[in-house]
Amino acid sequence: MVHRRSAADRIASGQVHDDDEGMLPQDYTVELPPEGCAAPPGKKRRREGREVPKKRLRREKGGLCQLNLDELYIIFAYIYPMDLLNLARTCKSLRDLLMHKSALFLWKTALRQIEGLPDCPADLDEPEYANLVFYTRCHGCGKSAKTVFWNMRRRYCPACRVERYGLGRVCDITIKTNTPLDRLSDSGQWVDRDQMDSFLCEYRCSSDKTQFLDEKRNQCQNIYLHARKCESWQQQKGRVHRFDLEILRKERQTSIFERLRQRGYGSEIAYFGDRAIEKAYKCVFKRYRPLTDSEWNRMWPEWVKIFKKLRSQRTEATLYLPRRCSLVPEYERYVMHPSPDTPTFDLLPHVVDLARFPPFRDIIRASEGTQLDDKPFASAFAQLPALVNEWVQKLSSETAGLMKIPSCLSSGNIARDQDMASSSAGHAELSQTDLEKLHLACAVFHVDGTGVFAHPEVLSVSMRNDTMFPSHEIHLSTSGAMLRRIRRVDESAPTGWIHDRFGLQFLEEAPYIVHACGLDPNVATVDDMNRRNARLKCLSCGGRTLIMNWRHAV
């Protein structure tokens, strides 16, 4: 590889040829570095294969800045004050142009486009006035600040308000009468500390203090008058804005209801009303933007759940309830005026229980378009004898299931007489089934609000206290207890339904009374207790002695 040396190096080393002498001027001198100093580093060479770095190009000005002034002024004459502020903050060229005195007419034109806005006050220029009115940022920290303090000519966030405001009552009388004040709370008037400091500085520097105070007092009076106009304009603007938002909300509401009617929910809307539908899904009606297809697709699954519940309530009130109510007079005629071939019953179900029987339930819950004749339940009444027998067996089984005799009262813990043991032995095998438990002496039940009864009187007494179906229509405002009560008629009987339906509770003290008489409550019958004929003493009666038989004790 050939190493080339510069002409200066060759001259310094004495390696200058005759051919090189003509290449340098006659007065060319070479300054050699002083002894002990290292030669400057050579120029770095670019490695082979590396790309040449691109030169940084200065960004050219946009097309807007390249227009002449006449064209810019024509464009700026049609924009609003906030747009002028944003343009002035875009670049230095536009800022210098819009903040120059020659562009003052642009700001005045933009401010005149705002309907009802008071004219620019004397203490502010047009850009400052536009910034105060339209730029919703704090003048202290730059955060969002919606509230304008017109007397102060300021916008402050809550944090800067605490930092920059001071109580007016602690200020000097000169400051309070010549500096703008504002009532921010019930605690009194407040003064801006920056304005107070500026006023004090000007006051100290003024030569004629009386004239200065007169001018400040007149200025404060003009500020107060202009502030009242600005507050009135702001309130009017807020009312107009709320009215426009309400129009948008109404249009959105109309669009939602129209789509719901197209999906087949017009009957539910007509029955419950628009207000009830809005309460069911409040959040979608409170928005102030037009309804789009994508937003509708997102809310549609929730609407399906809501209207499934509303349709069930409407069908219950307008279709199923009238059919149940029509069952009442037919059942009354069947019981009070039976036909010759009608069998006799020891216990008849209540009409609420009758509506739960499958033949009656199928007729009641027939679809909305089903046509029913004058006697729709005639075929169901023909099956009633078999249904009643099945119902009585089920009811007795459920009633016996309420009996919970403690295991500690078994026969192994009782020393009974020989004759009582022999008489009770015959019932030991029969008491293993639930139905035979109802023949025991401890088969006593409490009916809510009525008293204590044995089986089967307890069932007839409990049904006597029940009421018929409600005759009024069920609306969305109907109590939840009533809806649950009527809906429970057609549902299958859940666990513990006999307590909810008849209000029955097993008298837990009855097994202990039988045990106190010396018998086993698991096998002792009423006849056994009568033959025992035991007497019991009440230990709760403090001042007197009360002796009773086992029936009175129960």
Side-chain angles (χ1 to χ4, degrees):
M1 184 175 183
V2 179
H3 295 280
R4 303 184 63 185
R5 303 179 67 182
S6 62
D9 293 340
R10 284 183 283 149
I11 292 174
S13 60
Q15 301 177 5
V16 180
H17 302 283
D18 295 339
D19 298 339
D20 299 332
E21 292 180 357
M23 299 174 61
L24 300 174
Q26 297 294 333
D27 57 347
Y28 182 81
T29 59
V30 178
E31 295 183 0
L32 299 176
E35 296 181 1
C37 295
K43 185 177 181 181
K44 293 183 179 180
R45 297 178 181 178
R46 181 174 58 85
R47 295 180 181 178
E48 296 181 0
R50 291 187 63 180
E51 297 181 357
V52 180
K54 296 181 181 180
K55 294 183 179 180
R56 294 183 179 179
L57 302 177
R58 296 186 64 184
R59 183 177 295 178
E60 297 181 358
K61 296 181 179 180
L64 186 63
C65 298
Q66 296 178 359
L67 299 176
N68 57 44
L69 291 179
D70 294 338
E71 293 173 343
L72 287 176
Y73 286 161
I74 292 175
I75 295 173
F76 292 163
Y78 291 96
I79 62 179
Y80 287 95
M82 191 63 217
D83 300 326
L84 282 180
L85 287 172
N86 293 332
L87 283 173
R89 292 162 181 164
T90 303
C91 61
K92 291 183 179 180
S93 302
L94 289 176
R95 182 176 182 83
D96 296 340
L97 174 63
L98 293 174
M99 293 303 171
H100 197 267
K101 291 183 179 180
S102 60
L104 187 61
F105 73 96
L106 295 175
W107 295 94
K108 292 182 178 180
T109 304
L111 291 172
R112 280 196 296 268
Q113 296 183 37
I114 308 302
E115 183 179 359
L117 181 66
D119 296 334
C120 181
D123 57 303
L124 297 175
D125 56 24
E126 279 73 9
E128 291 175 343
Y129 187 45
N131 184 72
L132 174 66
V133 176
F134 300 102
Y135 189 61
T136 59
R137 292 291 175 178
C138 177
H139 292 176
C141 62
K143 295 181 180 179
S144 177
K146 299 290 183 67
T147 305
V148 183
F149 303 102
W150 298 104
N151 290 344
M152 306 290 192
R153 309 299 197 199
R154 293 287 189 272
R155 280 182 185 264
Y156 284 141
C157 64
C160 294
R161 198 181 308 166
V162 175
E163 180 182 353
R164 295 174 178 268
Y165 277 173
L167 278 173
R169 64 171 179 264
V170 299
C171 300
D172 187 76
I173 186 62
T174 304
I175 298 175
K176 290 194 292 185
T177 56
N178 299 279
T179 306
L181 302 175
D182 203 348
R183 181 174 291 277
L184 305 181
S185 63
D186 296 335
S187 58
Q189 292 181 329
W190 296 75
V191 62
D192 187 276
R193 290 191 176 95
D194 295 340
Q195 293 180 356
M196 181 179 64
D197 295 340
S198 176
F199 169 77
L200 292 177
C201 183
E202 294 178 4
Y203 180 75
R204 296 190 190 98
C205 297
S206 62
S207 57
D208 190 354
K209 291 182 171 48
T210 303
Q211 182 180 359
F212 174 78
L213 293 177
D214 292 340
E215 293 176 356
K216 284 293 181 182
R217 195 175 296 110
N218 294 333
Q219 182 183 3
C220 290
Q221 185 64 27
N222 294 332
I223 289 176
Y224 288 146
L225 295 177
H226 185 268
R228 301 291 82 76
K229 295 179 181 179
C230 292
E231 290 175 356
S232 301
W233 170 80
Q234 189 177 26
Q235 294 174 0
Q236 178 63 22
K237 181 183 176 182
R239 288 192 291 268
V240 173
H241 180 64
R242 289 190 295 270
F243 180 75
D244 295 339
L245 291 180
E246 186 63 22
I247 292 177
L248 293 177
R249 196 189 69 82
K250 288 291 184 182
E251 293 176 354
R252 179 185 178 89
Q253 176 186 357
T254 304
S255 178
I256 291 176
F257 282 123
E258 184 64 27
R259 291 177 184 244
L260 291 174
R261 290 188 179 94
Q262 293 176 0
R263 298 296 179 98
Y265 294 119
S267 301
E268 284 73 25
I269 296 174
Y271 179 75
F272 292 103
D274 297 350
R275 185 66 61 87
I277 305 299
E278 290 183 23
K279 289 182 179 180
Y281 203 175
K282 293 181 181 179
C283 59
V284 299
F285 289 97
K286 290 184 177 180
R287 298 168 186 168
Y288 299 102
R289 59 173 180 266
L291 182 66
T292 60
D293 293 337
S294 60
E295 187 180 5
W296 172 257
N297 294 333
R298 288 195 302 269
M299 71 172 69
W300 173 243
E302 186 65 25
W303 277 123
V304 172
K305 296 179 183 178
I306 293 173
F307 273 94
K308 182 179 180 181
K309 180 179 178 181
L310 295 180
R311 175 165 290 180
S312 175
Q313 295 179 5
R314 181 189 66 83
T315 308
E316 183 70 40
T318 60
L319 189 64
Y320 300 156
L321 181 61
R323 291 175 180 176
R324 292 195 196 99
C325 293
S326 65
L327 177 61
V328 176
E330 291 193 32
Y331 187 45
E332 184 178 358
R333 286 194 298 269
Y334 179 86
V335 175
M336 302 302 295
H337 305 284
S339 60
D341 56 346
T342 301
T344 58
F345 303 97
D346 295 333
L347 182 65
L348 279 174
H350 193 273
V351 66
V352 174
D353 301 294
L354 187 70
R356 186 184 284 125
F357 293 165
F360 294 91
R361 183 178 59 190
D362 294 341
I363 297 174
I364 291 173
R365 298 187 68 86
S367 59
E368 193 168 0
T370 305
Q371 297 292 334
L372 301 178
D373 54 8
D374 296 338
K375 296 182 178 181
F377 300 101
S379 59
F381 277 113
Q383 310 175 39
L384 188 58
L387 296 174
V388 170
N389 293 331
E390 182 182 354
W391 172 76
V392 170
Q393 293 179 4
K394 179 183 177 182
L395 191 61
S396 300
S397 177
E398 292 287 340
T399 305
L402 297 177
M403 298 176 59
K404 304 297 180 183
I405 302 175
S407 59
C408 61
L409 305 181
S410 61
S411 59
N413 300 328
I414 303 174
R416 59 172 69 88
D417 295 339
Q418 187 68 24
D419 56 342
M420 294 301 169
S422 61
S423 63
S424 300
H427 301 282
E429 296 296 332
L430 297 177
S431 61
Q432 300 302 319
T433 62
D434 288 340
L435 294 179
E436 292 175 350
K437 286 184 180 181
L438 299 176
H439 299 287
L440 298 178
C442 61
V444 182
F445 303 90
H446 180 268
V447 182
D448 294 342
T450 304
V452 179
F453 300 92
H455 183 273
E457 291 83 8
V458 64
L459 298 179
S460 59
V461 170
S462 60
M463 285 190 294
R464 201 178 305 133
N465 294 335
D466 205 348
T467 56
M468 296 294 183
F469 299 112
S471 58
H472 58 82
E473 291 187 356
I474 303 175
H475 206 267
L476 194 64
S477 59
T478 307
S479 63
M482 178 64 72
L483 290 176
R484 288 192 298 269
R485 173 185 173 83
I486 296 175
R487 193 178 296 114
R488 194 166 57 236
V489 171
D490 290 332
E491 294 176 350
S492 59
T495 304
W497 72 279
I498 193 168
H499 174 266
D500 298 333
R501 172 69 181 86
F502 297 100
L504 299 185
Q505 290 182 350
F506 176 61
L507 192 64
E508 298 179 355
E509 295 83 357
Y512 291 94
I513 295 175
V514 176
H515 178 267
C517 294
L519 298 180
D520 186 357
N522 292 283
V523 294
T525 62
V526 176
D527 295 336
D528 295 336
M529 292 295 295
N530 291 335
R531 282 193 294 268
R532 185 71 174 179
N533 197 18
R535 295 294 184 268
L536 296 95
K537 177 182 177 181
C538 180
L539 301 179
S540 300
C541 301
R544 57 194 179 94
T545 301
L546 181 61
I547 305 298
M548 65 193 80
N549 59 18
W550 74 276
R551 291 182 179 275
H552 291 132
V554 170

